[in-house]
Structures are given as C-alpha cells and as structure tokens.
Amino acid sequence: MDHVAQRQAMLDAVGEQVGPVRAVRTVRDLDADGVPVRLYQDGADPATPVLLYAHGGGWVLGDLATHDGLCRLLAAETGWAVLAVDYRRAPEAPFPAAFEDIDVVIRWLRGHGQQYALDPTTVAVAGDSAGGLLAAVTARRERDAGRDLAAQVLICPVLSPVTDYPDLGNEWLEPQEMTGFWDAFAPPGVQRHQPDLDPFLADPAGLPPAVIVTAELDILRDEAERYAARLAAAGVPVIATRYQGTFHNFPRKLALTHDAAVAVAQIAAALRALTRRQ
C-alpha cells in the first residue's frame, strides 16, 4: 500500500478506533506563520498553559483529523490549551521539515499566544509515536536555546533510529513498517546518528520533566523505557508507566481500550500538578 492509501486508511479508521469525541469549549483552525495548527481550549482562564502537540503516524501518516479525539480529551482533562501542529510529512518533506515547522509554531506562540488567551511562558511539548521524537528533540533544542519548557509528554515514542526491533506479533506496528517510516523520514544520505534524530546522543541534563507512556506489546517500548531511565539518571523528573497488555499508540484509540482514557488521565494529573507548583 502506498503512503497516500495508508493516509486514507488511517483516516477511515478514526470512527471505529477513536469513537465519539469529547466536546470542548473552543476548537479553532489557525495559521501559525504558514503552518496550519488547531487550537483546543476548554477553560476560560485569561492565560492558559499550552500543550504543543505533534501527532504520530511515522512522520508519513496522521494529521489533525486523526488525532482530533485525543487532543480534545487532553484539553478537557488537563485544563491546558492544546495546540496541534499539522507539520509537513515525509516522504514529500523529509527531515528536517517537521522540526522547522514546529520551530515556526513555537515562535508564533510566543509572539501571538496572548491574543488567544494563551500563556506563552508555560508551554509543554507532547507527541505520540513519531511525534514523540519530535517532542523530545524539541524539548532539547529549546533547552539548548535557553528557553525552558514546562514538560515533555512522550506517548509510545520513537526515540532511536536503530531499527533492530523485536517481533512481538503486534499488528499495530510491525518492525518492517517502522523501518519504512524511518526510510521515508531520514532517507539515504541523511546522517541518523545525530541528536536531532537520536536523542540518546544529546546531554539529558536540564531537560524538562517528562511523562513517558509505554505499552507492553509495542516494539518501541524498550527504547522509550531506556530513555526514561537515562533522563532519571541525569536528574530529570520522570514519570514512566508501562501499560500491560496494550499495543502501540493505544492512548489515541479511545474506543478500543479503557487503558486509553486511563493514560490520558495520568497525563492530565501530571500536568495539573505541574501547574500548581508553578
């Protein structure tokens, strides 16, 4: 199946996998200096913390529509605004296009957030699957630039370009599929062993607090848990939870498993606690 057909298949499955979506007060599609974004706001505070969200899908699939249900629930449960980024996808726009788009959105947020009742001084990054890599690397890049983020939320994240995956018999993400995503995002000629593609190569000290969600039956589980241990060893506050009996990227598939809502509640509790401490 080619990537155009894969994208349509992912969209077609949203109703069955995600189910009815949560109502939130405001959902707006905006232009962030040329990058499409969708802003979810459920509270009425004049300055709401912001969760900048990068969707998954192997950097090839996924978009604002496939992740609408999850972003709505995150906004409703956390009380934070969720700003979902419709970054350019591979293979049409391989690395570093997605990072460039996220950089543009962060600059836009800091310059224009207040007009949308957002607090640009309290920003966390989040992402699922391939979006988890985008979030983790963005957290490090912002730290390196001297701009602190409040937190990083990594859901079943991709965190290593090493494609020696276990075969867990999991139809949700198979080793050859993940290898193909890497080939589309970082094709031949791109050096994958660099901090922007391999977060293990960057110094973890001083990164923002992390919430990392993994699934027992996910081929990405081990790399995510190694990353959580690496952050903790460097003194970064980490909440890392493995959900037993679950599959890759289960929190997006709200209609298929009760664990999805539990994981979102855990993320929401961590972000609410963070807000209270600030």
Side-chain angles (χ1 to χ4, degrees):
M1 185 184 297
D2 63 47
H3 68 273
V4 175
Q6 285 180 302
R7 288 172 183 169
Q8 188 59 52
M10 188 173 182
L11 276 170
D12 291 343
V14 166
E16 177 186 356
Q17 295 179 357
V18 180
V21 299
R22 180 78 166 264
V24 297
R25 183 175 60 88
T26 305
V27 179
R28 286 183 279 193
D29 288 329
L30 302 171
D31 182 305
D33 288 339
V35 179
V37 295
R38 182 169 292 173
L39 177 62
Y40 302 84
Q41 293 168 293
D42 202 46
D45 294 339
T48 308
V50 184
L51 185 65
L52 187 74
Y53 199 89
H55 67 77
W59 311 288
V60 173
L61 316 177
D63 57 20
L64 298 179
T66 59
H67 285 68
D68 182 71
L70 176 57
C71 289
R72 285 171 177 269
L73 188 59
L74 282 167
E77 292 290 319
T78 63
W80 290 46
V82 175
L83 187 64
V85 182
D86 196 13
Y87 58 84
R88 287 171 290 167
R89 297 175 295 185
E92 298 91 339
F95 171 83
F99 289 113
E100 293 170 346
D101 290 350
I102 290 173
D103 288 345
V104 167
V105 173
I106 290 178
R107 288 196 298 270
W108 174 87
L109 173 60
R110 291 200 164 104
H112 301 278
Q114 289 181 328
Q115 74 187 74
Y116 296 100
L118 305 176
D119 178 5
T121 69
T122 306
V123 178
V125 288
D128 61 278
S129 192
L133 177 77
L134 301 179
V137 170
T138 296
R140 192 266 306 162
R141 286 160 62 122
E142 289 294 290
R143 179 207 63 185
D144 291 350
R147 298 185 292 266
D148 292 333
L149 292 175
Q152 53 182 319
V153 178
L154 312 179
I155 301 170
C156 298
V158 179
L159 287 167
S160 172
V162 178
T163 56
D164 184 19
Y165 301 113
D167 189 351
L168 301 178
N170 179 359
E171 64 180 9
W172 293 108
L173 181 63
E174 297 176 344
Q176 64 270 26
E177 184 181 15
M178 192 64 235
T179 299
F181 287 146
W182 268 111
D183 289 342
F185 183 56
V190 173
Q191 173 54 260
R192 295 183 186 179
H193 295 288
Q194 57 168 298
D196 282 354
L197 291 174
D198 187 347
F200 285 92
L201 298 179
D203 180 2
L207 286 171
V211 180
I212 300 178
V213 173
T214 65
E216 180 190 11
L217 304 179
D218 184 4
I219 63 171
L220 304 178
R221 178 198 68 198
D222 293 345
E223 62 194 62
E225 292 176 357
R226 288 197 305 270
Y227 192 68
R230 190 166 190 269
L231 293 180
V236 177
V238 178
I239 298 170
T241 306
R242 177 194 293 188
Y243 284 76
Q244 302 291 352
T246 52
F247 45 84
H248 175 69
N249 216 6
F250 69 94
R252 186 182 73 84
K253 302 174 181 76
L254 292 156
L256 300 186
T257 171
H258 294 299
D259 290 326
V262 175
V264 172
Q266 178 192 2
I267 293 166
L271 290 177
R272 284 196 301 269
L274 179 66
T275 305
R276 286 196 296 270
R277 290 198 299 267
Q278 293 182 341

